[in-house]
PDB file of all heavy atoms in Angstrom:
ATOM      1  N   VAL K 163     266.585-102.537 -80.012  1.00  0.00           N
ATOM      2  CA  VAL K 163     265.953-101.240 -79.833  1.00  0.00           C
ATOM      3  C   VAL K 163     264.780-101.450 -78.872  1.00  0.00           C
ATOM      4  O   VAL K 163     264.141-102.513 -78.883  1.00  0.00           O
ATOM      5  CB  VAL K 163     265.489-100.616 -81.171  1.00  0.00           C
ATOM      6  CG1 VAL K 163     264.389-101.432 -81.843  1.00  0.00           C
ATOM      7  CG2 VAL K 163     265.047 -99.165 -80.966  1.00  0.00           C
ATOM      8  N   THR K 164     264.535-100.468 -78.018  1.00  0.00           N
ATOM      9  CA  THR K 164     263.444-100.511 -77.058  1.00  0.00           C
ATOM     10  C   THR K 164     262.453 -99.389 -77.386  1.00  0.00           C
ATOM     11  O   THR K 164     262.809 -98.446 -78.104  1.00  0.00           O
ATOM     12  CB  THR K 164     263.975-100.308 -75.625  1.00  0.00           C
ATOM     13  OG1 THR K 164     264.449 -98.966 -75.499  1.00  0.00           O
ATOM     14  CG2 THR K 164     265.105-101.288 -75.296  1.00  0.00           C
ATOM     15  N   PRO K 165     261.230 -99.443 -76.843  1.00  0.00           N
ATOM     16  CA  PRO K 165     260.280 -98.361 -77.109  1.00  0.00           C
ATOM     17  C   PRO K 165     260.647 -97.037 -76.445  1.00  0.00           C
ATOM     18  O   PRO K 165     260.308 -95.977 -76.960  1.00  0.00           O
ATOM     19  CB  PRO K 165     258.964 -98.883 -76.538  1.00  0.00           C
ATOM     20  CG  PRO K 165     259.143-100.328 -76.331  1.00  0.00           C
ATOM     21  CD  PRO K 165     260.604-100.559 -76.137  1.00  0.00           C
ATOM     22  N   ALA K 166     261.344 -97.084 -75.293  1.00  0.00           N
ATOM     23  CA  ALA K 166     261.554 -95.844 -74.545  1.00  0.00           C
ATOM     24  C   ALA K 166     262.931 -95.712 -73.897  1.00  0.00           C
ATOM     25  O   ALA K 166     263.226 -94.674 -73.305  1.00  0.00           O
ATOM     26  CB  ALA K 166     260.483 -95.718 -73.455  1.00  0.00           C
ATOM     27  N   GLN K 167     263.803 -96.738 -74.009  1.00  0.00           N
ATOM     28  CA  GLN K 167     265.098 -96.680 -73.337  1.00  0.00           C
ATOM     29  C   GLN K 167     266.280 -96.501 -74.292  1.00  0.00           C
ATOM     30  O   GLN K 167     267.405 -96.322 -73.846  1.00  0.00           O
ATOM     31  CB  GLN K 167     265.319 -97.950 -72.498  1.00  0.00           C
ATOM     32  CG  GLN K 167     264.306 -98.138 -71.389  1.00  0.00           C
ATOM     33  CD  GLN K 167     264.356 -97.035 -70.346  1.00  0.00           C
ATOM     34  OE1 GLN K 167     265.408 -96.490 -70.041  1.00  0.00           O
ATOM     35  NE2 GLN K 167     263.199 -96.692 -69.794  1.00  0.00           N
ATOM     36  N   GLY K 168     266.037 -96.587 -75.598  1.00  0.00           N
ATOM     37  CA  GLY K 168     267.109 -96.408 -76.570  1.00  0.00           C
ATOM     38  C   GLY K 168     267.546 -97.720 -77.196  1.00  0.00           C
ATOM     39  O   GLY K 168     266.785 -98.694 -77.244  1.00  0.00           O
ATOM     40  N   VAL K 169     268.795 -97.746 -77.691  1.00  0.00           N
ATOM     41  CA  VAL K 169     269.388 -98.929 -78.305  1.00  0.00           C
ATOM     42  C   VAL K 169     270.384 -99.516 -77.309  1.00  0.00           C
ATOM     43  O   VAL K 169     271.191 -98.792 -76.721  1.00  0.00           O
ATOM     44  CB  VAL K 169     270.093 -98.582 -79.634  1.00  0.00           C
ATOM     45  CG1 VAL K 169     270.899 -99.761 -80.159  1.00  0.00           C
ATOM     46  CG2 VAL K 169     269.061 -98.160 -80.674  1.00  0.00           C
ATOM     47  N   SER K 170     270.325-100.837 -77.141  1.00  0.00           N
ATOM     48  CA  SER K 170     271.118-101.502 -76.113  1.00  0.00           C
ATOM     49  C   SER K 170     271.909-102.659 -76.704  1.00  0.00           C
ATOM     50  O   SER K 170     271.355-103.462 -77.463  1.00  0.00           O
ATOM     51  CB  SER K 170     270.174-102.016 -75.018  1.00  0.00           C
ATOM     52  OG  SER K 170     270.885-102.526 -73.925  1.00  0.00           O
ATOM     53  N   PHE K 171     273.197-102.734 -76.356  1.00  0.00           N
ATOM     54  CA  PHE K 171     274.013-103.908 -76.668  1.00  0.00           C
ATOM     55  C   PHE K 171     274.088-104.742 -75.406  1.00  0.00           C
ATOM     56  O   PHE K 171     274.430-104.238 -74.345  1.00  0.00           O
ATOM     57  CB  PHE K 171     275.425-103.522 -77.112  1.00  0.00           C
ATOM     58  CG  PHE K 171     276.274-104.725 -77.437  1.00  0.00           C
ATOM     59  CD1 PHE K 171     276.280-105.250 -78.718  1.00  0.00           C
ATOM     60  CD2 PHE K 171     277.031-105.362 -76.460  1.00  0.00           C
ATOM     61  CE1 PHE K 171     277.034-106.375 -79.024  1.00  0.00           C
ATOM     62  CE2 PHE K 171     277.786-106.481 -76.757  1.00  0.00           C
ATOM     63  CZ  PHE K 171     277.785-106.992 -78.041  1.00  0.00           C
ATOM     64  N   GLN K 172     273.741-106.032 -75.519  1.00  0.00           N
ATOM     65  CA  GLN K 172     273.730-106.912 -74.357  1.00  0.00           C
ATOM     66  C   GLN K 172     274.496-108.185 -74.647  1.00  0.00           C
ATOM     67  O   GLN K 172     274.563-108.629 -75.792  1.00  0.00           O
ATOM     68  CB  GLN K 172     272.294-107.274 -73.978  1.00  0.00           C
ATOM     69  CG  GLN K 172     271.510-106.118 -73.461  1.00  0.00           C
ATOM     70  CD  GLN K 172     270.138-106.521 -72.981  1.00  0.00           C
ATOM     71  OE1 GLN K 172     269.284-105.696 -72.878  1.00  0.00           O
ATOM     72  NE2 GLN K 172     269.933-107.782 -72.696  1.00  0.00           N
ATOM     73  N   SER K 173     275.051-108.776 -73.583  1.00  0.00           N
ATOM     74  CA  SER K 173     275.752-110.040 -73.757  1.00  0.00           C
ATOM     75  C   SER K 173     275.739-110.823 -72.448  1.00  0.00           C
ATOM     76  O   SER K 173     275.570-110.256 -71.368  1.00  0.00           O
ATOM     77  CB  SER K 173     277.198-109.799 -74.190  1.00  0.00           C
ATOM     78  OG  SER K 173     277.894-109.057 -73.215  1.00  0.00           O
ATOM     79  N   ARG K 174     275.892-112.143 -72.589  1.00  0.00           N
ATOM     80  CA  ARG K 174     276.120-113.038 -71.446  1.00  0.00           C
ATOM     81  C   ARG K 174     277.351-113.850 -71.815  1.00  0.00           C
ATOM     82  O   ARG K 174     277.316-114.632 -72.770  1.00  0.00           O
ATOM     83  CB  ARG K 174     274.916-113.942 -71.202  1.00  0.00           C
ATOM     84  CG  ARG K 174     275.122-114.899 -70.015  1.00  0.00           C
ATOM     85  CD  ARG K 174     273.923-115.813 -69.751  1.00  0.00           C
ATOM     86  NE  ARG K 174     272.751-115.029 -69.387  1.00  0.00           N
ATOM     87  CZ  ARG K 174     271.620-114.994 -70.109  1.00  0.00           C
ATOM     88  NH1 ARG K 174     271.505-115.704 -71.220  1.00  0.00           N
ATOM     89  NH2 ARG K 174     270.605-114.254 -69.719  1.00  0.00           N
ATOM     90  N   SER K 175     278.444-113.659 -71.084  1.00  0.00           N
ATOM     91  CA  SER K 175     279.720-114.254 -71.483  1.00  0.00           C
ATOM     92  C   SER K 175     279.938-115.665 -70.953  1.00  0.00           C
ATOM     93  O   SER K 175     280.815-116.364 -71.439  1.00  0.00           O
ATOM     94  CB  SER K 175     280.879-113.353 -71.080  1.00  0.00           C
ATOM     95  OG  SER K 175     280.881-113.175 -69.684  1.00  0.00           O
ATOM     96  N   THR K 176     279.144-116.089 -69.967  1.00  0.00           N
ATOM     97  CA  THR K 176     279.236-117.461 -69.460  1.00  0.00           C
ATOM     98  C   THR K 176     277.842-118.052 -69.360  1.00  0.00           C
ATOM     99  O   THR K 176     276.878-117.331 -69.049  1.00  0.00           O
ATOM    100  CB  THR K 176     279.919-117.520 -68.075  1.00  0.00           C
ATOM    101  OG1 THR K 176     279.153-116.742 -67.150  1.00  0.00           O
ATOM    102  CG2 THR K 176     281.339-117.013 -68.126  1.00  0.00           C
ATOM    103  N   THR K 177     277.720-119.340 -69.587  1.00  0.00           N
ATOM    104  CA  THR K 177     276.426-120.007 -69.480  1.00  0.00           C
ATOM    105  C   THR K 177     275.895-119.835 -68.061  1.00  0.00           C
ATOM    106  O   THR K 177     276.573-120.158 -67.089  1.00  0.00           O
ATOM    107  CB  THR K 177     276.562-121.504 -69.820  1.00  0.00           C
ATOM    108  OG1 THR K 177     277.100-121.612 -71.141  1.00  0.00           O
ATOM    109  CG2 THR K 177     275.226-122.208 -69.743  1.00  0.00           C
ATOM    110  N   GLY K 178     274.682-119.272 -67.952  1.00  0.00           N
ATOM    111  CA  GLY K 178     274.072-119.046 -66.656  1.00  0.00           C
ATOM    112  C   GLY K 178     274.618-117.860 -65.890  1.00  0.00           C
ATOM    113  O   GLY K 178     274.204-117.592 -64.762  1.00  0.00           O
ATOM    114  N   GLY K 179     275.551-117.126 -66.507  1.00  0.00           N
ATOM    115  CA  GLY K 179     276.128-115.954 -65.851  1.00  0.00           C
ATOM    116  C   GLY K 179     275.231-114.735 -65.977  1.00  0.00           C
ATOM    117  O   GLY K 179     274.196-114.760 -66.654  1.00  0.00           O
ATOM    118  N   ASN K 180     275.643-113.657 -65.326  1.00  0.00           N
ATOM    119  CA  ASN K 180     274.885-112.414 -65.412  1.00  0.00           C
ATOM    120  C   ASN K 180     275.088-111.746 -66.766  1.00  0.00           C
ATOM    121  O   ASN K 180     276.133-111.894 -67.390  1.00  0.00           O
ATOM    122  CB  ASN K 180     275.308-111.448 -64.295  1.00  0.00           C
ATOM    123  CG  ASN K 180     274.639-111.796 -62.988  1.00  0.00           C
ATOM    124  OD1 ASN K 180     273.433-112.011 -62.943  1.00  0.00           O
ATOM    125  ND2 ASN K 180     275.417-111.858 -61.924  1.00  0.00           N
ATOM    126  N   SER K 181     274.087-111.013 -67.183  1.00  0.00           N
ATOM    127  CA  SER K 181     274.146-110.274 -68.439  1.00  0.00           C
ATOM    128  C   SER K 181     274.818-108.925 -68.231  1.00  0.00           C
ATOM    129  O   SER K 181     274.829-108.382 -67.129  1.00  0.00           O
ATOM    130  CB  SER K 181     272.738-110.063 -68.983  1.00  0.00           C
ATOM    131  OG  SER K 181     272.120-111.288 -69.257  1.00  0.00           O
ATOM    132  N   ARG K 182     275.344-108.408 -69.321  1.00  0.00           N
ATOM    133  CA  ARG K 182     275.960-107.081 -69.358  1.00  0.00           C
ATOM    134  C   ARG K 182     275.202-106.262 -70.395  1.00  0.00           C
ATOM    135  O   ARG K 182     274.766-106.790 -71.417  1.00  0.00           O
ATOM    136  CB  ARG K 182     277.428-107.249 -69.778  1.00  0.00           C
ATOM    137  CG  ARG K 182     278.160-105.978 -70.099  1.00  0.00           C
ATOM    138  CD  ARG K 182     279.556-106.309 -70.679  1.00  0.00           C
ATOM    139  NE  ARG K 182     280.232-105.111 -71.127  1.00  0.00           N
ATOM    140  CZ  ARG K 182     280.117-104.581 -72.339  1.00  0.00           C
ATOM    141  NH1 ARG K 182     279.343-105.144 -73.239  1.00  0.00           N
ATOM    142  NH2 ARG K 182     280.779-103.480 -72.663  1.00  0.00           N
ATOM    143  N   SER K 183     275.030-104.962 -70.123  1.00  0.00           N
ATOM    144  CA  SER K 183     274.272-104.115 -71.035  1.00  0.00           C
ATOM    145  C   SER K 183     274.890-102.729 -71.112  1.00  0.00           C
ATOM    146  O   SER K 183     275.308-102.177 -70.095  1.00  0.00           O
ATOM    147  CB  SER K 183     272.824-104.001 -70.544  1.00  0.00           C
ATOM    148  OG  SER K 183     272.077-103.155 -71.379  1.00  0.00           O
ATOM    149  N   VAL K 184     274.966-102.185 -72.325  1.00  0.00           N
ATOM    150  CA  VAL K 184     275.373-100.800 -72.551  1.00  0.00           C
ATOM    151  C   VAL K 184     274.309-100.181 -73.449  1.00  0.00           C
ATOM    152  O   VAL K 184     274.039-100.685 -74.543  1.00  0.00           O
ATOM    153  CB  VAL K 184     276.759-100.707 -73.219  1.00  0.00           C
ATOM    154  CG1 VAL K 184     277.135 -99.252 -73.451  1.00  0.00           C
ATOM    155  CG2 VAL K 184     277.812-101.411 -72.378  1.00  0.00           C
ATOM    156  N   THR K 185     273.693 -99.086 -72.979  1.00  0.00           N
ATOM    157  CA  THR K 185     272.548 -98.505 -73.681  1.00  0.00           C
ATOM    158  C   THR K 185     272.838 -97.079 -74.121  1.00  0.00           C
ATOM    159  O   THR K 185     273.418 -96.298 -73.369  1.00  0.00           O
ATOM    160  CB  THR K 185     271.302 -98.536 -72.775  1.00  0.00           C
ATOM    161  OG1 THR K 185     271.041 -99.900 -72.423  1.00  0.00           O
ATOM    162  CG2 THR K 185     270.086 -97.966 -73.479  1.00  0.00           C
ATOM    163  N   THR K 186     272.427 -96.761 -75.346  1.00  0.00           N
ATOM    164  CA  THR K 186     272.461 -95.403 -75.869  1.00  0.00           C
ATOM    165  C   THR K 186     271.027 -94.885 -75.857  1.00  0.00           C
ATOM    166  O   THR K 186     270.184 -95.380 -76.621  1.00  0.00           O
ATOM    167  CB  THR K 186     273.016 -95.381 -77.308  1.00  0.00           C
ATOM    168  OG1 THR K 186     274.302 -96.003 -77.327  1.00  0.00           O
ATOM    169  CG2 THR K 186     273.119 -93.957 -77.828  1.00  0.00           C
ATOM    170  N   PRO K 187     270.703 -93.918 -74.981  1.00  0.00           N
ATOM    171  CA  PRO K 187     269.322 -93.448 -74.872  1.00  0.00           C
ATOM    172  C   PRO K 187     268.905 -92.576 -76.043  1.00  0.00           C
ATOM    173  O   PRO K 187     269.741 -92.107 -76.826  1.00  0.00           O
ATOM    174  CB  PRO K 187     269.326 -92.653 -73.565  1.00  0.00           C
ATOM    175  CG  PRO K 187     270.737 -92.198 -73.393  1.00  0.00           C
ATOM    176  CD  PRO K 187     271.598 -93.253 -74.024  1.00  0.00           C
ATOM    177  N   GLY K 188     267.592 -92.355 -76.151  1.00  0.00           N
ATOM    178  CA  GLY K 188     267.059 -91.386 -77.099  1.00  0.00           C
ATOM    179  C   GLY K 188     266.862 -91.879 -78.513  1.00  0.00           C
ATOM    180  O   GLY K 188     266.551 -91.088 -79.402  1.00  0.00           O
ATOM    181  N   ILE K 189     267.027 -93.176 -78.756  1.00  0.00           N
ATOM    182  CA  ILE K 189     266.860 -93.720 -80.109  1.00  0.00           C
ATOM    183  C   ILE K 189     265.663 -94.667 -80.095  1.00  0.00           C
ATOM    184  O   ILE K 189     265.554 -95.522 -79.219  1.00  0.00           O
ATOM    185  CB  ILE K 189     268.123 -94.462 -80.566  1.00  0.00           C
ATOM    186  CG1 ILE K 189     269.312 -93.497 -80.564  1.00  0.00           C
ATOM    187  CG2 ILE K 189     267.926 -95.072 -81.941  1.00  0.00           C
ATOM    188  CD1 ILE K 189     270.642 -94.170 -80.564  1.00  0.00           C
ATOM    189  N   VAL K 190     264.769 -94.504 -81.055  1.00  0.00           N
ATOM    190  CA  VAL K 190     263.593 -95.363 -81.168  1.00  0.00           C
ATOM    191  C   VAL K 190     263.477 -95.875 -82.601  1.00  0.00           C
ATOM    192  O   VAL K 190     264.117 -95.359 -83.512  1.00  0.00           O
ATOM    193  CB  VAL K 190     262.295 -94.609 -80.773  1.00  0.00           C
ATOM    194  CG1 VAL K 190     262.328 -94.195 -79.302  1.00  0.00           C
ATOM    195  CG2 VAL K 190     262.080 -93.388 -81.655  1.00  0.00           C
ATOM    196  N   ALA K 191     262.652 -96.903 -82.782  1.00  0.00           N
ATOM    197  CA  ALA K 191     262.375 -97.401 -84.126  1.00  0.00           C
ATOM    198  C   ALA K 191     261.572 -96.340 -84.886  1.00  0.00           C
ATOM    199  O   ALA K 191     260.803 -95.595 -84.266  1.00  0.00           O
ATOM    200  CB  ALA K 191     261.605 -98.709 -84.046  1.00  0.00           C
ATOM    201  N   PRO K 192     261.765 -96.252 -86.214  1.00  0.00           N
ATOM    202  CA  PRO K 192     262.593 -97.139 -87.035  1.00  0.00           C
ATOM    203  C   PRO K 192     264.080 -96.818 -86.915  1.00  0.00           C
ATOM    204  O   PRO K 192     264.467 -95.658 -86.851  1.00  0.00           O
ATOM    205  CB  PRO K 192     262.087 -96.875 -88.450  1.00  0.00           C
ATOM    206  CG  PRO K 192     261.541 -95.479 -88.402  1.00  0.00           C
ATOM    207  CD  PRO K 192     261.003 -95.289 -87.016  1.00  0.00           C
ATOM    208  N   VAL K 193     264.885 -97.912 -86.888  1.00  0.00           N
ATOM    209  CA  VAL K 193     266.338 -97.787 -86.816  1.00  0.00           C
ATOM    210  C   VAL K 193     266.949 -99.063 -87.396  1.00  0.00           C
ATOM    211  O   VAL K 193     266.382-100.147 -87.257  1.00  0.00           O
ATOM    212  CB  VAL K 193     266.811 -97.552 -85.361  1.00  0.00           C
ATOM    213  CG1 VAL K 193     266.472 -98.731 -84.463  1.00  0.00           C
ATOM    214  CG2 VAL K 193     268.297 -97.234 -85.292  1.00  0.00           C
ATOM    215  N   TRP K 194     268.076 -98.924 -88.064  1.00  0.00           N
ATOM    216  CA  TRP K 194     268.822-100.082 -88.549  1.00  0.00           C
ATOM    217  C   TRP K 194     269.720-100.590 -87.436  1.00  0.00           C
ATOM    218  O   TRP K 194     270.315 -99.795 -86.690  1.00  0.00           O
ATOM    219  CB  TRP K 194     269.694 -99.688 -89.743  1.00  0.00           C
ATOM    220  CG  TRP K 194     268.938 -99.461 -91.013  1.00  0.00           C
ATOM    221  CD1 TRP K 194     268.323 -98.307 -91.406  1.00  0.00           C
ATOM    222  CD2 TRP K 194     268.717-100.405 -92.057  1.00  0.00           C
ATOM    223  NE1 TRP K 194     267.730 -98.475 -92.633  1.00  0.00           N
ATOM    224  CE2 TRP K 194     267.958 -99.761 -93.059  1.00  0.00           C
ATOM    225  CE3 TRP K 194     269.086-101.734 -92.247  1.00  0.00           C
ATOM    226  CZ2 TRP K 194     267.566-100.392 -94.231  1.00  0.00           C
ATOM    227  CZ3 TRP K 194     268.704-102.377 -93.412  1.00  0.00           C
ATOM    228  CH2 TRP K 194     267.952-101.714 -94.386  1.00  0.00           C
ATOM    229  N   LEU K 195     269.846-101.912 -87.327  1.00  0.00           N
ATOM    230  CA  LEU K 195     270.748-102.545 -86.376  1.00  0.00           C
ATOM    231  C   LEU K 195     271.658-103.512 -87.115  1.00  0.00           C
ATOM    232  O   LEU K 195     271.238-104.134 -88.096  1.00  0.00           O
ATOM    233  CB  LEU K 195     269.966-103.316 -85.306  1.00  0.00           C
ATOM    234  CG  LEU K 195     268.991-102.516 -84.442  1.00  0.00           C
ATOM    235  CD1 LEU K 195     268.239-103.454 -83.512  1.00  0.00           C
ATOM    236  CD2 LEU K 195     269.712-101.427 -83.658  1.00  0.00           C
ATOM    237  N   LYS K 196     272.896-103.640 -86.634  1.00  0.00           N
ATOM    238  CA  LYS K 196     273.846-104.594 -87.198  1.00  0.00           C
ATOM    239  C   LYS K 196     274.611-105.238 -86.057  1.00  0.00           C
ATOM    240  O   LYS K 196     274.987-104.566 -85.097  1.00  0.00           O
ATOM    241  CB  LYS K 196     274.809-103.894 -88.165  1.00  0.00           C
ATOM    242  CG  LYS K 196     275.889-104.812 -88.733  1.00  0.00           C
ATOM    243  CD  LYS K 196     276.616-104.213 -89.940  1.00  0.00           C
ATOM    244  CE  LYS K 196     277.355-102.942 -89.657  1.00  0.00           C
ATOM    245  NZ  LYS K 196     278.190-102.516 -90.819  1.00  0.00           N
ATOM    246  N   LEU K 197     274.853-106.549 -86.174  1.00  0.00           N
ATOM    247  CA  LEU K 197     275.618-107.294 -85.177  1.00  0.00           C
ATOM    248  C   LEU K 197     276.670-108.102 -85.922  1.00  0.00           C
ATOM    249  O   LEU K 197     276.347-108.857 -86.840  1.00  0.00           O
ATOM    250  CB  LEU K 197     274.677-108.209 -84.385  1.00  0.00           C
ATOM    251  CG  LEU K 197     275.255-108.951 -83.196  1.00  0.00           C
ATOM    252  CD1 LEU K 197     275.825-107.999 -82.153  1.00  0.00           C
ATOM    253  CD2 LEU K 197     274.174-109.834 -82.560  1.00  0.00           C
ATOM    254  N   VAL K 198     277.933-107.925 -85.531  1.00  0.00           N
ATOM    255  CA  VAL K 198     279.068-108.530 -86.230  1.00  0.00           C
ATOM    256  C   VAL K 198     279.794-109.481 -85.287  1.00  0.00           C
ATOM    257  O   VAL K 198     280.045-109.143 -84.129  1.00  0.00           O
ATOM    258  CB  VAL K 198     280.049-107.436 -86.730  1.00  0.00           C
ATOM    259  CG1 VAL K 198     281.243-108.066 -87.429  1.00  0.00           C
ATOM    260  CG2 VAL K 198     279.331-106.452 -87.646  1.00  0.00           C
ATOM    261  N   ARG K 199     280.140-110.667 -85.823  1.00  0.00           N
ATOM    262  CA  ARG K 199     280.943-111.635 -85.070  1.00  0.00           C
ATOM    263  C   ARG K 199     282.257-111.886 -85.796  1.00  0.00           C
ATOM    264  O   ARG K 199     282.275-112.176 -86.996  1.00  0.00           O
ATOM    265  CB  ARG K 199     280.200-112.958 -84.919  1.00  0.00           C
ATOM    266  CG  ARG K 199     281.053-113.992 -84.183  1.00  0.00           C
ATOM    267  CD  ARG K 199     280.395-115.327 -83.994  1.00  0.00           C
ATOM    268  NE  ARG K 199     281.247-116.145 -83.115  1.00  0.00           N
ATOM    269  CZ  ARG K 199     280.957-117.356 -82.701  1.00  0.00           C
ATOM    270  NH1 ARG K 199     279.822-117.925 -83.062  1.00  0.00           N
ATOM    271  NH2 ARG K 199     281.789-118.011 -81.920  1.00  0.00           N
ATOM    272  N   SER K 200     283.361-111.823 -85.046  1.00  0.00           N
ATOM    273  CA  SER K 200     284.674-112.213 -85.548  1.00  0.00           C
ATOM    274  C   SER K 200     285.329-113.035 -84.448  1.00  0.00           C
ATOM    275  O   SER K 200     285.832-112.488 -83.462  1.00  0.00           O
ATOM    276  CB  SER K 200     285.513-110.974 -85.879  1.00  0.00           C
ATOM    277  OG  SER K 200     286.792-111.375 -86.312  1.00  0.00           O
ATOM    278  N   GLY K 201     285.269-114.359 -84.583  1.00  0.00           N
ATOM    279  CA  GLY K 201     285.757-115.233 -83.521  1.00  0.00           C
ATOM    280  C   GLY K 201     284.907-115.071 -82.276  1.00  0.00           C
ATOM    281  O   GLY K 201     283.694-115.237 -82.315  1.00  0.00           O
ATOM    282  N   ASN K 202     285.546-114.695 -81.166  1.00  0.00           N
ATOM    283  CA  ASN K 202     284.824-114.440 -79.925  1.00  0.00           C
ATOM    284  C   ASN K 202     284.566-112.957 -79.693  1.00  0.00           C
ATOM    285  O   ASN K 202     284.142-112.556 -78.607  1.00  0.00           O
ATOM    286  CB  ASN K 202     285.592-115.018 -78.731  1.00  0.00           C
ATOM    287  CG  ASN K 202     285.597-116.529 -78.750  1.00  0.00           C
ATOM    288  OD1 ASN K 202     284.633-117.156 -79.185  1.00  0.00           O
ATOM    289  ND2 ASN K 202     286.681-117.127 -78.297  1.00  0.00           N
ATOM    290  N   ALA K 203     284.816-112.128 -80.704  1.00  0.00           N
ATOM    291  CA  ALA K 203     284.598-110.686 -80.610  1.00  0.00           C
ATOM    292  C   ALA K 203     283.281-110.311 -81.284  1.00  0.00           C
ATOM    293  O   ALA K 203     283.008-110.738 -82.401  1.00  0.00           O
ATOM    294  CB  ALA K 203     285.756-109.943 -81.267  1.00  0.00           C
ATOM    295  N   PHE K 204     282.472-109.505 -80.588  1.00  0.00           N
ATOM    296  CA  PHE K 204     281.168-109.087 -81.090  1.00  0.00           C
ATOM    297  C   PHE K 204     281.061-107.569 -81.022  1.00  0.00           C
ATOM    298  O   PHE K 204     281.498-106.948 -80.048  1.00  0.00           O
ATOM    299  CB  PHE K 204     280.042-109.720 -80.259  1.00  0.00           C
ATOM    300  CG  PHE K 204     279.979-111.211 -80.394  1.00  0.00           C
ATOM    301  CD1 PHE K 204     280.752-112.029 -79.583  1.00  0.00           C
ATOM    302  CD2 PHE K 204     279.168-111.808 -81.348  1.00  0.00           C
ATOM    303  CE1 PHE K 204     280.708-113.409 -79.711  1.00  0.00           C
ATOM    304  CE2 PHE K 204     279.121-113.186 -81.486  1.00  0.00           C
ATOM    305  CZ  PHE K 204     279.891-113.983 -80.660  1.00  0.00           C
ATOM    306  N   LEU K 205     280.476-107.000 -82.072  1.00  0.00           N
ATOM    307  CA  LEU K 205     280.259-105.554 -82.147  1.00  0.00           C
ATOM    308  C   LEU K 205     278.819-105.289 -82.570  1.00  0.00           C
ATOM    309  O   LEU K 205     278.310-105.919 -83.506  1.00  0.00           O
ATOM    310  CB  LEU K 205     281.197-104.920 -83.176  1.00  0.00           C
ATOM    311  CG  LEU K 205     282.661-104.799 -82.797  1.00  0.00           C
ATOM    312  CD1 LEU K 205     283.508-104.531 -84.034  1.00  0.00           C
ATOM    313  CD2 LEU K 205     282.831-103.677 -81.784  1.00  0.00           C
ATOM    314  N   GLY K 206     278.163-104.345 -81.890  1.00  0.00           N
ATOM    315  CA  GLY K 206     276.822-103.916 -82.260  1.00  0.00           C
ATOM    316  C   GLY K 206     276.864-102.519 -82.848  1.00  0.00           C
ATOM    317  O   GLY K 206     277.707-101.699 -82.466  1.00  0.00           O
TER     318      GLY K 206
END
């Protein structure tokens, strides 16, 4: 969660590679967050 940009899911799929980001605007703290791993699959 960010102060002014919303909630963002981010990842870096290779060591030293570029990051990827998908943001949902308009959400600020307080907020619950959850991150799930199943093998190489991740969900925020």
